[in-house]
Amino acid sequence: MISTHILDTHLGKPAPQVEIRLYDAKTRTLLGNGVTNDDGRLKDFGIEHIEQGAYLLEYDIAPYFAKHDLKTFFPQVSIQFFVENPNEHYHVPLLISPFAYSTYRGS
């Protein structure tokens, strides 16, 4: 399973209503998409089975910052990661602010 979570470090809150797309990184085939909930989480992309390989998460963060009347240097964030064991849960948190972002492998 693949999930994600966005935290706005500028406002100190989760980032709700952010659109996220999941792609096969090799073919750029769209595998699923969704919008973060009020807690900034997207628990799954509606995919029943994932395979070993490279994936790409694409986050549209410009509309989120625009709702807060903030300009951002990064209108979109793309994170590529590799699934080694398809039986594991892959959680990809994203920390955002108007002029920086970071990520890590969560649990």
Side-chain angles (χ1 to χ4, degrees):
M1 178 160 88
I2 297 171
S3 63
T4 189
H5 187 196
I6 306 174
L7 296 173
D8 180 340
T9 60
H10 177 72
L11 297 176
K13 298 179 182 181
Q17 303 304 309
V18 175
E19 185 177 346
I20 306 168
R21 290 173 296 282
L22 175 67
Y23 294 94
D24 177 307
K26 186 175 182 180
T27 64
R28 289 289 275 174
T29 302
L30 180 65
L31 302 174
N33 66 326
V35 176
T36 55
N37 64 18
D38 289 342
D39 195 33
R41 296 180 183 275
L42 183 54
K43 295 183 180 184
D44 69 59
F45 289 87
I47 300 169
E48 293 184 22
H49 177 73
I50 60 172
E51 297 179 5
Q52 184 181 50
Y55 291 84
L56 177 74
L57 285 168
E58 195 172 75
Y59 302 78
D60 285 330
I61 60 172
Y64 167 80
F65 283 118
K67 287 179 192 175
H68 295 283
D69 293 321
L70 294 168
K71 293 182 181 180
T72 181
F73 185 69
F74 300 103
Q76 190 175 76
V77 173
S78 296
I79 301 171
Q80 188 171 345
F81 62 100
F82 191 81
V83 169
E84 181 69 34
N85 181 350
N87 295 318
E88 291 182 12
H89 179 190
Y90 288 81
H91 184 66
V92 183
L94 175 63
L95 307 174
I96 60 172
S97 72
F99 299 99
Y101 68 88
S102 64
T103 187
Y104 57 96
R105 178 164 181 196
S107 57

